[in-house]
Amino acid sequence: RLREPGIGGTVLLHVFVDAEGVPTRSQIIDSSGYPPLDAAAREVVDRMKFSPALSRDKPVGVWVQQGVTFRAE
């Protein structure tokens, strides 16, 4: 819907990745300025699979920053 008028942007999110590498929570740190892009970025992050962080060789949950960029080309 936003691609046709040439609207794109980047959304920066704070994402909690659990000890299995699954994103379980996210919050927008820096909006694209377009609510539909922000919502799409959260959907993208929710479907991502991460490598779990390690603390003393044991997987742990951590907060990470993840950017999602949409280009209207």
Side-chain angles (χ1 to χ4, degrees):
R1 181 171 53 159
L2 296 172
R3 186 180 298 161
E4 285 182 27
I7 296 173
T10 298
V11 182
L12 183 62
L13 299 109
H14 223 168
V15 182
F16 186 79
V17 179
D18 70 13
E20 295 178 4
V22 177
T24 59
R25 287 176 274 174
S26 66
Q27 49 189 250
I28 295 172
I29 298 171
D30 191 18
S31 169
S32 66
Y34 299 98
L37 284 185
D38 295 347
R42 289 185 93 159
E43 288 179 26
V44 167
V45 166
D46 287 345
R47 294 181 181 156
M48 294 175 77
K49 179 71 174 167
F50 294 82
S51 296
L54 298 175
S55 177
R56 297 186 182 159
D57 296 327
K58 293 183 181 179
V60 294
V62 294
W63 284 95
V64 299
Q65 286 188 6
Q66 179 67 50
V68 178
T69 300
F70 297 95
R71 292 194 177 107
E73 297 176 354

